[in-house]
Amino acid sequence: MRHDGRQDDELRPVYIETNYIKHAEGSVLISFGDTKVICTASVEDKVPPFLRGSGKGWVTAEYAMLPRATERRNIRESSKGKVAGRTMEIQRLIGRALRAVVDLKALGERTIWIDCDVIQADGGTRTAAITGAFVAMTDAIATVHKQKPFSSFPIKDWLAAVSVGITSENEAVLDLNYIEDADANVDMNIVMTGAGEFVELQGSGEESTFTSHELQAMLHYGEKGINELIDLQQEALAHAKDLLV
Amino acid sequence: MRHDGRQDDELRPVYIETNYIKHAEGSVLISFGDTKVICTASVEDKVPPFLRGSGKGWVTAEYAMLPRATERRNIRESSKGKVAGRTMEIQRLIGRALRAVVDLKALGERTIWIDCDVIQADGGTRTAAITGAFVAMTDAIATVHKQKPFSSFPIKDWLAAVSVGITSENEAVLDLNYIEDADANVDMNIVMTGAGEFVELQGSGEESTFTSHELQAMLHYGEKGINELIDLQQEALAHAKDLLV
Amino acid sequence: MRHDGRQDDELRPVYIETNYIKHAEGSVLISFGDTKVICTASVEDKVPPFLRGSGKGWVTAEYAMLPRATERRNIRESSKGKVAGRTMEIQRLIGRALRAVVDLKALGERTIWIDCDVIQADGGTRTAAITGAFVAMTDAIATVHKQKPFSSFPIKDWLAAVSVGITSENEAVLDLNYIEDADANVDMNIVMTGAGEFVELQGSGEESTFTSHELQAMLHYGEKGINELIDLQQEALAHAKDLLV
Amino acid sequence: MRHDGRQDDELRPVYIETNYIKHAEGSVLISFGDTKVICTASVEDKVPPFLRGSGKGWVTAEYAMLPRATERRNIRESSKGKVAGRTMEIQRLIGRALRAVVDLKALGERTIWIDCDVIQADGGTRTAAITGAFVAMTDAIATVHKQKPFSSFPIKDWLAAVSVGITSENEAVLDLNYIEDADANVDMNIVMTGAGEFVELQGSGEESTFTSHELQAMLHYGEKGINELIDLQQEALAHAKDLLV
Amino acid sequence: MRHDGRQDDELRPVYIETNYIKHAEGSVLISFGDTKVICTASVEDKVPPFLRGSGKGWVTAEYAMLPRATERRNIRESSKGKVAGRTMEIQRLIGRALRAVVDLKALGERTIWIDCDVIQADGGTRTAAITGAFVAMTDAIATVHKQKPFSSFPIKDWLAAVSVGITSENEAVLDLNYIEDADANVDMNIVMTGAGEFVELQGSGEESTFTSHELQAMLHYGEKGINELIDLQQEALAHAKDLLV
Amino acid sequence: MRHDGRQDDELRPVYIETNYIKHAEGSVLISFGDTKVICTASVEDKVPPFLRGSGKGWVTAEYAMLPRATERRNIRESSKGKVAGRTMEIQRLIGRALRAVVDLKALGERTIWIDCDVIQADGGTRTAAITGAFVAMTDAIATVHKQKPFSSFPIKDWLAAVSVGITSENEAVLDLNYIEDADANVDMNIVMTGAGEFVELQGSGEESTFTSHELQAMLHYGEKGINELIDLQQEALAHAKDLLV
């Protein structure tokens, strides 16, 4: 059994609170255990230069942590004057993952800006961010749709993300918290759709390697976790659920 | 009467939720109406170079807004690669204000890092930040005190901040929200102690000026607001209240 | 008596030399005792994006110190790659103060760029900068006016700035030099118009506080100093004096 | 058949030229078809702060492209003043991949700096970089070993990387060149050891998704490619081959 | 005799390999002994703002070193976030030198981007860069000319660069390698045309001075070296030689 | 005759005012016609890392222009966040030139920081800066010498700088002002010692070239100008003149 009493294939308690920030078109506070992330989706009626005149829209994401989201205070990236490599990697991942389920042509020349700000971190911030950002984005697009319906709703499928790993005792586990993550041999993030297809698969041995067999075990747990997360997203988006066929 | 139904000398509803972030030594979520700020206080057992070996401590503050805290999304300062002048002005103000009621000698060679992150903005973010930061700081120092008592508790007095202004109809008002602030002729921030002394006074005509008479009216409302805020701080810090004589 | 022999309510010797830099539309070398600042005003026939098409003009300011303006050499902000918080605070103050007496509508779509460069510092650099910048700006606008008269001269009133403070012996004093400033309990900068109205009031306790009574004493000295400075500005701008009614 | 005549599971011609830069402890020019990367390994007798006194060494990597390595000239990151997110992602990947087969304890308090500079790009630059960097690193460590033998040679296994993908016609292919990559639905980078274990697996749908079946096909081709690359590395490192048991 | 056996007025072996990078309009790998530089010329059909609408073209250059081009690894300028003064000085020199022999009017509104990347350094990198960049630029312009002939070929004369110096034994020498350069009293870079006129002359005493007589000796050797380099350029550009009358 | 009535080999009026800034160990205001530069020399009792423990001192220089030193206002380098290439080139030149006449061993482990700030520009700012900086540096070192004599005075010779050029009418001229400089075919800066030896020679054709004959004419005028400038330096430093044998 895991140090917090969970089964190997068990998620932490997950909550999704919608309409969390009054100014944003879509916003949620999502928690995976003690990991808490504010995700907002802002709709802008223009696109980056490389898409102007293409009729296509764009989805882009930014990610940050409050300085004291972690056990030790981190220096702000604004004070350092540059964005860390880890941050860039995560925000590129969030944007790419969301775009995989958006019909950018149907969206039209609009940009959806996703902001994921971790207010408390306990492992799995990037997967919580993707899972929450999907809800905020869908809510924002549903808001636009209500005012002026799209001919075809631009979101093609549900999308969630979860982490899996191999512990130092060589056990596969689902949804690692910080203590587990720090000690794991292998860390993998999986992003999947409601239809059960992969969007992203990022697995890394941490000064370690993994076998084909361990890979299959992780994929199996990941799929289970994703299905449960999508159920929770569908509850949180009950009012918009019918828009996604 | 004001557009939200308040009297000229009436604060917005103010809430202070302590222990908001589990990792920080002190933390609050403070709201002044729709303005919401997370304030954390982190204790570090070292001081900046100019104080090393002096036996004195330091209090410093950082301030930021989430991109979608405002009506229109703001570009992150980390993306811009530099901290805006307005941000620097506010974080210098918060630090200076808090230091006025801290006995840095009694604190010893420790730094208190204050982080004020605005998650939703509706006017008065800097005064909410100072008022909340005082609570987070006091809670953090009380935590240190509980583990290893100071010979003299390093906080000398209560401290809160509020905004006052002169509207475009030449009325003095207390605790302006965003709509009032955008339209005001004069904007003043007042920081005062529990003993009723001034710590900071910053009044600016916005392409306008103000008379000595208007100054007195604003100071009067400000004092009233400060007293009410300190009452709320004392409730939130009931467990630590006796430490401040 | 003060260490340099002045009365508590006495300014240091103040000199204003106009036409100091041949290229600028307006320029002065102003000295408050040993504090010396070159102020230039440059007129540009365009405005920042947020004012384009509005018919209104803009006044903006920048402030810097030569590295050896001070007792110890300072590292250049260009070498550090960023502008310090103190610098930003001062340049925002100078711009805001000047705009309070400019009719931006009458100015039309022009920007007045103010540059205040401290070549020698001995306390009160920001108040000397504002007082000198007003002269440079007025001279620049008078130059434009001579070539092509404004229907209404865009400067509405005279404007000067002075510092006041409370010493460590609890005395109010006017126009603090560096030694006095370093030792003061309270430091306040006052910007006022020829009509005796406030434009800016910025008072800070330096790890200290101040009473209502001390505030009144400082305001009283400040008003006296401002009046004397405006007399000197009127001498320096004798040729342009009639343009300001 | 592929546009350049290759079979789906066929690598491009791969060449590894060792001792390419005279100053570096290890250096290669590696080419995967028209993709050409200079990889150098520099040995420094100190470690980053977080490892000082630990007895452990470190391996870190940097990656860049010459401006005209690509069809259109890219602006240099030094001119932009910041490193792009894509670059950071790749250099973090290279470093992490190499560390998986290095016994950092056996290396002792040394840092191996890996520099991968793409002089001509035609797809697969990150996999060519990892494959070449492994050779440069091994050569550099063998050089140190010759001068002063390690009690245990710090490299534990061979390591290579290759890309696989799913084309827009839903075919799995090995080692995509630029034209194939730009058109692919799915792009995956695989890093494996001589023992056939995974070190990194990074697969992304490009505005697309992939099935479990497609994943298995890609993994199969990847393993074949890795084995062929490791054969070529062993030829290039013939003189050092016995050091790796 | 010199430490590598050369006569005082003897160049190191010089090789120029054209068409080195497949994407660039012009590219060479040039070596002066162990100094090796990749020079590319990229043609862009637009000009910087200050030339728009003038009918004139532009030539600009960038210069960099791979981190391990030198005996000790250098930190990348992209990591430091700024370009060093030495780099800026060199790239300004390369651009200015090349522009001296280009008829910018005949070039039309095009920019030639020159990139000189030192892959191995052993003294004289800036003179190798200029000499190689001239070949890459001429090749790129000849390529444009072949597709759509210029009414007058925009390159007016041949151009090469070489270093000369005064050793610590007060001998004038031609084309200093790194060991000689580090020890020299005087270092001078000469850029000359095929017609034997000066384009640039930059001589510096290194904590030393030089006489008029020493100057003449250096100029004499420089002219000899330039003539030999231009012969090699003419061989490398045999196919384009007739375009330059 | 020249547009300002000077002979071809005639300097503009040159003035050197010493002790211009009260805080600096050495300071001058130097003017070459309408070009005015404040030069300060600051003495610091430590050296850069590469000289620690060597017993040798260092001389380094920084150069800047006030924004309105020129006909059109320039954006501050601190606002741009980086130092321009032209600025770096000039400050490297100033430092290198001064070091050529300083016995760094005799100076001991001290750094002389030179700051040259152009307050009004009309051509020749870098030569005025070097000429003024030599005076400020000598005065600063003489001040140190008075307090605690050096066994050997660290300045070995006098040093001045002047510009020469070839006009568009192919005339050699001395000390070009801005109008002449903008129109010249060739621009050369010469730094020489009191003994008549060269320290720096930097000549550039501006989209032009120059002959050996023109070079000799420029060197001839340069030597005349340098001699006159050194006479003026000796007057300004009358009190310290005997220290330089």
Side-chain angles (χ1 to χ4, degrees):
Chain A
M1 216 175 22
R2 294 157 79 177
H3 80 102
D4 59 359
R6 281 188 287 155
Q7 300 299 319
D8 286 351
D9 65 350
E10 190 180 345
L11 293 175
R12 289 174 286 178
V14 173
Y15 298 100
I16 303 174
E17 179 180 346
T18 52
N19 296 318
Y20 190 70
I21 299 296
K22 75 166 187 174
H23 300 299
E25 284 76 26
S27 66
V28 311
L29 173 66
I30 189 166
S31 51
F32 275 36
D34 277 340
T35 289
K36 295 183 184 184
V37 188
I38 297 175
C39 304
T40 61
S42 304
V43 181
E44 190 187 26
D45 281 334
K46 62 180 190 186
V47 285
F50 70 92
L51 285 176
R52 275 180 209 146
S54 69
K56 291 179 67 178
W58 192 240
V59 179
T60 189
E62 291 190 357
Y63 166 98
M65 278 200 188
L66 295 203
R68 201 55 200 281
T70 48
E71 185 53 35
R72 296 171 59 92
R73 184 180 184 274
N74 291 299
I75 300 173
R76 286 175 195 269
E77 296 187 333
S78 56
S79 299
K80 285 193 257 184
K82 60 180 177 184
V83 176
R86 176 185 175 276
T87 301
M88 288 205 185
E89 209 170 288
I90 295 175
Q91 51 200 24
R92 284 161 56 87
L93 168 64
I94 301 170
R96 207 165 55 229
L98 294 175
R99 287 194 297 273
V101 290
V102 174
D103 179 342
L104 297 173
K105 201 83 197 172
L107 182 59
E109 292 205 9
R110 282 181 187 86
T111 298
I112 311 295
W113 290 88
I114 300 296
D115 286 288
C116 298
D117 286 86
V118 178
I119 63 174
Q120 193 172 272
D122 187 31
T125 64
R126 78 188 72 187
T127 51
I130 292 169
T131 304
F134 176 81
V135 176
M137 176 180 78
T138 302
D139 220 4
I141 293 179
T143 301
V144 174
H145 186 68
K146 207 176 292 172
Q147 291 159 3
K148 194 179 153 200
F150 291 96
S151 50
S152 147
F153 192 70
I155 300 184
K156 299 179 292 186
D157 201 348
W158 297 84
L159 180 100
V162 79
S163 72
V164 287
I166 303 292
T167 67
S168 55
E169 287 93 39
N170 297 313
E171 298 281 350
V173 286
L174 176 66
D175 186 25
L176 293 74
N177 64 19
Y178 180 72
I179 289 178
E180 293 175 322
D181 188 38
D183 192 49
N185 285 347
V186 181
D187 182 30
M188 177 171 277
N189 293 293
I190 301 175
V191 187
M192 286 185 95
T193 63
E197 301 211 340
F198 293 103
V199 167
E200 286 278 335
L201 204 60
Q202 296 199 341
S204 301
E206 306 281 337
E207 300 176 21
S208 182
T209 58
F210 54 104
T211 63
S212 197
H213 181 79
E214 288 169 330
L215 171 62
Q216 302 309 330
M218 290 189 285
L219 294 178
H220 182 68
Y221 281 3
E223 190 168 359
K224 175 178 179 294
I226 297 280
N227 287 338
E228 293 174 21
L229 290 168
I230 289 179
D231 285 348
L232 291 163
Q233 289 177 326
Q234 294 185 339
E235 274 175 45
L237 286 169
H239 58 291
K241 202 180 150 181
D242 295 342
L243 295 168
L244 278 99
V245 191
Chain B
M1 221 183 11
R2 294 158 79 178
H3 80 101
D4 60 358
R6 281 188 288 155
Q7 299 299 318
D8 286 350
D9 64 352
E10 190 180 345
L11 292 174
R12 289 174 286 179
V14 172
Y15 298 101
I16 303 175
E17 178 179 346
T18 52
N19 296 318
Y20 190 71
I21 299 296
K22 75 166 187 173
H23 301 298
E25 284 77 27
S27 66
V28 312
L29 173 66
I30 190 167
S31 51
F32 276 34
D34 277 341
T35 289
K36 296 183 185 184
V37 188
I38 297 175
C39 304
T40 61
S42 303
V43 181
E44 190 188 24
D45 280 334
K46 61 181 192 185
V47 285
F50 70 93
L51 286 176
R52 277 181 208 146
S54 69
K56 292 179 64 177
W58 192 241
V59 179
T60 188
E62 291 190 357
Y63 166 98
M65 277 199 189
L66 296 201
R68 201 53 199 283
T70 48
E71 185 54 36
R72 295 171 60 93
R73 184 181 183 274
N74 291 299
I75 300 173
R76 284 173 197 270
E77 296 186 335
S78 57
S79 300
K80 284 193 258 185
K82 60 179 177 184
V83 176
R86 176 184 175 276
T87 300
M88 288 206 186
E89 208 170 287
I90 295 175
Q91 52 200 24
R92 284 162 56 88
L93 169 64
I94 300 171
R96 210 165 53 228
L98 294 175
R99 287 193 299 272
V101 291
V102 174
D103 179 342
L104 297 172
K105 200 84 197 170
L107 182 60
E109 292 204 10
R110 282 181 187 86
T111 298
I112 311 295
W113 291 87
I114 300 296
D115 287 289
C116 298
D117 286 87
V118 179
I119 63 173
Q120 193 172 274
D122 188 31
T125 63
R126 77 187 74 187
T127 51
I130 292 169
T131 304
F134 176 81
V135 176
M137 176 181 76
T138 302
D139 221 4
I141 293 180
T143 300
V144 174
H145 187 68
K146 208 175 293 175
Q147 293 160 3
K148 195 180 151 199
F150 292 96
S151 51
S152 149
F153 193 70
I155 300 184
K156 300 178 291 186
D157 202 348
W158 297 84
L159 180 100
V162 79
S163 73
V164 287
I166 303 292
T167 66
S168 56
E169 287 93 39
N170 295 314
E171 299 281 350
V173 286
L174 177 67
D175 186 24
L176 292 75
N177 64 20
Y178 180 72
I179 289 177
E180 292 175 323
D181 188 38
D183 192 48
N185 284 347
V186 182
D187 180 30
M188 178 171 277
N189 292 294
I190 299 175
V191 187
M192 286 184 95
T193 64
E197 301 211 340
F198 292 104
V199 167
E200 285 277 338
L201 205 59
Q202 296 200 341
S204 302
E206 305 282 338
E207 300 175 23
S208 181
T209 59
F210 55 104
T211 63
S212 197
H213 181 79
E214 288 169 330
L215 172 61
Q216 303 308 331
M218 290 188 285
L219 295 178
H220 181 69
Y221 281 4
E223 191 168 359
K224 175 177 179 294
I226 297 279
N227 287 337
E228 294 174 19
L229 290 168
I230 290 178
D231 285 348
L232 292 164
Q233 289 177 325
Q234 295 185 338
E235 274 174 46
L237 286 169
H239 59 290
K241 203 182 149 180
D242 295 343
L243 295 168
L244 278 98
V245 192
Chain C
M1 217 177 21
R2 294 156 78 177
H3 80 101
D4 59 358
R6 280 189 287 156
Q7 300 299 317
D8 285 351
D9 65 350
E10 191 180 344
L11 293 175
R12 289 174 287 178
V14 173
Y15 299 100
I16 303 174
E17 179 180 346
T18 52
N19 297 317
Y20 189 71
I21 299 296
K22 76 166 187 174
H23 300 299
E25 285 77 26
S27 67
V28 311
L29 173 64
I30 189 166
S31 51
F32 276 33
D34 277 342
T35 289
K36 296 185 184 183
V37 188
I38 298 175
C39 305
T40 60
S42 303
V43 181
E44 190 187 25
D45 281 333
K46 62 181 190 185
V47 285
F50 70 92
L51 285 176
R52 276 181 209 146
S54 70
K56 291 179 65 177
W58 193 240
V59 179
T60 188
E62 292 191 354
Y63 167 98
M65 278 199 189
L66 295 202
R68 200 56 199 282
T70 49
E71 185 54 35
R72 294 172 61 92
R73 185 180 183 275
N74 291 299
I75 300 173
R76 286 174 195 270
E77 296 186 334
S78 56
S79 299
K80 285 193 256 185
K82 61 180 175 182
V83 176
R86 177 185 174 275
T87 300
M88 287 204 186
E89 208 170 288
I90 295 175
Q91 52 200 23
R92 283 162 57 89
L93 169 64
I94 300 171
R96 209 165 53 229
L98 294 175
R99 287 194 298 273
V101 290
V102 174
D103 179 342
L104 297 173
K105 200 85 196 171
L107 182 59
E109 291 204 10
R110 283 181 186 85
T111 297
I112 310 295
W113 290 87
I114 301 295
D115 286 289
C116 298
D117 286 87
V118 178
I119 62 174
Q120 193 172 273
D122 187 30
T125 63
R126 79 187 72 186
T127 51
I130 292 169
T131 305
F134 176 82
V135 176
M137 175 180 77
T138 303
D139 221 4
I141 293 180
T143 301
V144 174
H145 186 69
K146 207 176 292 174
Q147 291 160 5
K148 194 179 154 199
F150 292 96
S151 50
S152 148
F153 193 70
I155 300 184
K156 300 178 291 186
D157 202 348
W158 296 85
L159 180 101
V162 80
S163 73
V164 287
I166 303 293
T167 67
S168 56
E169 287 94 38
N170 295 314
E171 299 280 350
V173 286
L174 177 66
D175 187 25
L176 292 76
N177 64 20
Y178 179 73
I179 290 177
E180 293 175 321
D181 188 38
D183 192 48
N185 285 347
V186 182
D187 181 30
M188 177 172 276
N189 293 293
I190 301 176
V191 187
M192 286 185 94
T193 64
E197 301 211 340
F198 293 104
V199 166
E200 285 277 338
L201 205 60
Q202 296 200 340
S204 303
E206 306 282 337
E207 300 175 22
S208 181
T209 59
F210 54 104
T211 64
S212 196
H213 181 79
E214 288 170 329
L215 172 61
Q216 302 309 331
M218 290 190 286
L219 295 177
H220 181 69
Y221 281 4
E223 190 167 359
K224 175 177 178 294
I226 297 280
N227 287 338
E228 293 174 19
L229 290 168
I230 289 179
D231 285 348
L232 292 163
Q233 289 177 326
Q234 294 185 338
E235 273 174 46
L237 285 169
H239 59 290
K241 202 181 149 181
D242 295 344
L243 294 169
L244 278 98
V245 192
Chain D
M1 217 177 19
R2 294 159 77 178
H3 79 101
D4 59 359
R6 280 189 287 156
Q7 299 299 318
D8 286 350
D9 64 352
E10 190 179 346
L11 292 175
R12 289 173 286 177
V14 172
Y15 298 100
I16 302 175
E17 179 180 346
T18 52
N19 297 318
Y20 190 70
I21 299 296
K22 76 167 186 172
H23 300 299
E25 284 76 28
S27 66
V28 311
L29 172 66
I30 189 167
S31 51
F32 275 37
D34 278 340
T35 289
K36 296 184 183 182
V37 188
I38 298 174
C39 305
T40 60
S42 304
V43 180
E44 191 188 23
D45 280 333
K46 61 180 191 186
V47 286
F50 70 92
L51 286 176
R52 277 181 208 146
S54 69
K56 291 178 66 177
W58 192 240
V59 179
T60 188
E62 292 191 355
Y63 166 97
M65 277 200 188
L66 296 202
R68 200 55 199 282
T70 48
E71 184 54 35
R72 295 171 61 92
R73 186 181 182 273
N74 291 300
I75 300 173
R76 286 174 194 269
E77 296 186 334
S78 56
S79 300
K80 286 193 258 185
K82 60 180 178 182
V83 176
R86 175 185 176 276
T87 301
M88 288 205 185
E89 208 170 286
I90 295 174
Q91 51 200 26
R92 283 160 58 88
L93 169 64
I94 301 171
R96 208 166 53 229
L98 294 176
R99 285 194 300 272
V101 290
V102 174
D103 179 342
L104 297 173
K105 201 82 197 171
L107 182 60
E109 291 204 10
R110 283 181 186 86
T111 298
I112 311 295
W113 289 87
I114 301 296
D115 287 289
C116 298
D117 286 87
V118 179
I119 63 174
Q120 193 171 274
D122 187 31
T125 64
R126 79 187 72 187
T127 51
I130 291 169
T131 305
F134 176 81
V135 176
M137 176 180 76
T138 302
D139 221 4
I141 292 180
T143 301
V144 174
H145 186 69
K146 207 175 292 174
Q147 292 160 3
K148 195 179 151 198
F150 292 96
S151 50
S152 149
F153 193 70
I155 300 185
K156 301 178 291 187
D157 201 348
W158 297 83
L159 180 100
V162 79
S163 73
V164 286
I166 302 293
T167 66
S168 56
E169 286 94 38
N170 296 314
E171 299 281 349
V173 286
L174 175 66
D175 187 25
L176 293 75
N177 64 20
Y178 180 72
I179 289 177
E180 292 175 322
D181 188 38
D183 192 48
N185 284 347
V186 181
D187 181 30
M188 177 171 277
N189 293 293
I190 300 175
V191 187
M192 286 185 95
T193 63
E197 301 211 340
F198 293 103
V199 167
E200 286 277 337
L201 205 59
Q202 296 199 340
S204 302
E206 306 282 339
E207 300 175 23
S208 182
T209 58
F210 55 104
T211 63
S212 196
H213 180 79
E214 287 169 330
L215 172 61
Q216 302 308 331
M218 289 188 286
L219 295 177
H220 181 69
Y221 281 4
E223 190 168 0
K224 174 177 179 293
I226 296 280
N227 287 338
E228 293 173 19
L229 291 168
I230 289 178
D231 286 347
L232 292 164
Q233 290 176 326
Q234 294 185 338
E235 274 175 47
L237 285 169
H239 59 290
K241 202 182 151 181
D242 295 342
L243 295 168
L244 277 99
V245 191
Chain E
M1 219 181 13
R2 295 157 77 179
H3 80 102
D4 59 0
R6 280 188 288 155
Q7 299 299 318
D8 286 350
D9 64 352
E10 190 179 346
L11 293 174
R12 289 174 287 178
V14 172
Y15 298 100
I16 303 174
E17 179 180 345
T18 52
N19 296 318
Y20 189 70
I21 299 296
K22 76 167 186 172
H23 300 299
E25 285 77 26
S27 67
V28 312
L29 172 65
I30 189 167
S31 51
F32 276 35
D34 277 341
T35 289
K36 296 184 184 183
V37 188
I38 298 175
C39 305
T40 60
S42 303
V43 181
E44 190 187 25
D45 281 333
K46 62 180 191 186
V47 285
F50 70 92
L51 285 176
R52 275 179 209 148
S54 69
K56 291 178 66 177
W58 193 241
V59 179
T60 189
E62 291 191 355
Y63 166 99
M65 277 199 189
L66 296 201
R68 200 55 200 282
T70 48
E71 185 54 35
R72 295 170 61 92
R73 185 180 183 274
N74 291 299
I75 300 173
R76 286 174 195 269
E77 297 187 333
S78 57
S79 299
K80 286 192 257 185
K82 60 181 177 182
V83 176
R86 176 184 175 277
T87 300
M88 286 205 186
E89 209 170 287
I90 295 175
Q91 52 200 24
R92 284 161 57 88
L93 169 64
I94 301 171
R96 208 165 54 229
L98 294 175
R99 286 193 300 272
V101 291
V102 175
D103 179 342
L104 297 173
K105 200 83 198 173
L107 182 59
E109 291 204 9
R110 281 179 187 88
T111 297
I112 311 295
W113 291 87
I114 300 296
D115 286 288
C116 298
D117 286 87
V118 179
I119 63 173
Q120 192 171 273
D122 188 30
T125 63
R126 78 188 73 187
T127 51
I130 292 169
T131 304
F134 176 82
V135 176
M137 174 180 79
T138 302
D139 221 4
I141 293 180
T143 301
V144 174
H145 186 68
K146 207 176 291 174
Q147 292 159 3
K148 193 179 153 199
F150 290 96
S151 51
S152 148
F153 192 71
I155 300 184
K156 299 178 292 185
D157 201 348
W158 297 84
L159 180 101
V162 79
S163 73
V164 287
I166 303 292
T167 66
S168 55
E169 287 93 38
N170 296 313
E171 298 281 348
V173 286
L174 176 66
D175 187 23
L176 293 76
N177 64 20
Y178 180 72
I179 289 178
E180 293 175 321
D181 188 38
D183 192 48
N185 285 346
V186 181
D187 181 30
M188 177 171 278
N189 292 293
I190 301 176
V191 188
M192 287 185 93
T193 63
E197 301 211 340
F198 292 105
V199 167
E200 286 277 337
L201 205 59
Q202 295 200 341
S204 302
E206 306 282 339
E207 299 175 25
S208 181
T209 59
F210 54 103
T211 64
S212 196
H213 181 79
E214 288 169 330
L215 172 61
Q216 301 310 330
M218 290 189 285
L219 295 178
H220 181 70
Y221 281 5
E223 189 168 359
K224 174 176 179 294
I226 297 280
N227 287 338
E228 293 173 20
L229 290 168
I230 290 179
D231 286 347
L232 292 164
Q233 290 178 325
Q234 294 185 339
E235 274 174 45
L237 286 169
H239 59 290
K241 202 181 149 180
D242 295 343
L243 295 168
L244 278 98
V245 192
Chain F
M1 219 178 16
R2 292 157 80 177
H3 80 101
D4 60 359
R6 281 189 286 157
Q7 299 299 318
D8 286 350
D9 65 352
E10 191 180 345
L11 292 175
R12 289 174 286 178
V14 173
Y15 298 100
I16 303 174
E17 179 180 346
T18 51
N19 297 319
Y20 189 70
I21 299 296
K22 76 167 185 172
H23 301 299
E25 285 76 27
S27 66
V28 311
L29 173 65
I30 190 166
S31 51
F32 276 35
D34 278 341
T35 289
K36 296 183 184 184
V37 188
I38 297 175
C39 305
T40 61
S42 303
V43 181
E44 190 188 24
D45 281 333
K46 62 180 191 186
V47 286
F50 70 92
L51 286 176
R52 277 180 208 147
S54 69
K56 291 179 67 178
W58 192 241
V59 179
T60 188
E62 291 190 357
Y63 166 98
M65 278 200 188
L66 296 202
R68 200 54 199 281
T70 47
E71 185 54 35
R72 295 171 60 92
R73 186 180 182 275
N74 291 300
I75 300 173
R76 286 174 195 269
E77 295 186 335
S78 56
S79 299
K80 284 192 259 185
K82 60 179 177 183
V83 176
R86 176 185 175 275
T87 300
M88 288 206 185
E89 209 170 288
I90 295 175
Q91 52 200 25
R92 283 161 57 89
L93 169 63
I94 300 171
R96 207 166 55 228
L98 294 175
R99 286 193 299 273
V101 291
V102 174
D103 179 343
L104 297 172
K105 201 83 197 172
L107 182 59
E109 291 205 10
R110 282 180 187 86
T111 298
I112 311 295
W113 290 87
I114 300 296
D115 287 289
C116 299
D117 285 88
V118 179
I119 62 174
Q120 192 171 275
D122 188 30
T125 62
R126 79 187 71 188
T127 51
I130 292 169
T131 305
F134 176 82
V135 176
M137 175 180 77
T138 302
D139 221 4
I141 293 180
T143 301
V144 174
H145 186 69
K146 208 175 292 174
Q147 292 160 4
K148 195 180 151 198
F150 292 96
S151 51
S152 148
F153 193 70
I155 300 185
K156 301 178 292 186
D157 202 349
W158 297 83
L159 180 99
V162 78
S163 73
V164 287
I166 303 293
T167 66
S168 55
E169 286 93 38
N170 296 313
E171 299 281 349
V173 286
L174 176 66
D175 186 25
L176 291 76
N177 64 19
Y178 179 73
I179 290 178
E180 292 175 322
D181 188 38
D183 192 49
N185 284 346
V186 182
D187 181 29
M188 177 170 277
N189 292 293
I190 300 175
V191 187
M192 286 185 95
T193 64
E197 301 210 340
F198 292 104
V199 167
E200 285 278 336
L201 205 59
Q202 296 199 340
S204 301
E206 305 283 338
E207 299 175 23
S208 181
T209 58
F210 55 104
T211 64
S212 196
H213 181 79
E214 287 170 330
L215 171 62
Q216 302 309 332
M218 290 189 285
L219 294 179
H220 181 69
Y221 281 4
E223 190 168 0
K224 174 177 178 295
I226 296 280
N227 288 337
E228 293 174 20
L229 290 168
I230 289 179
D231 286 347
L232 291 164
Q233 289 177 326
Q234 294 185 338
E235 274 175 46
L237 285 170
H239 60 291
K241 201 181 150 181
D242 295 342
L243 295 168
L244 279 98
V245 192

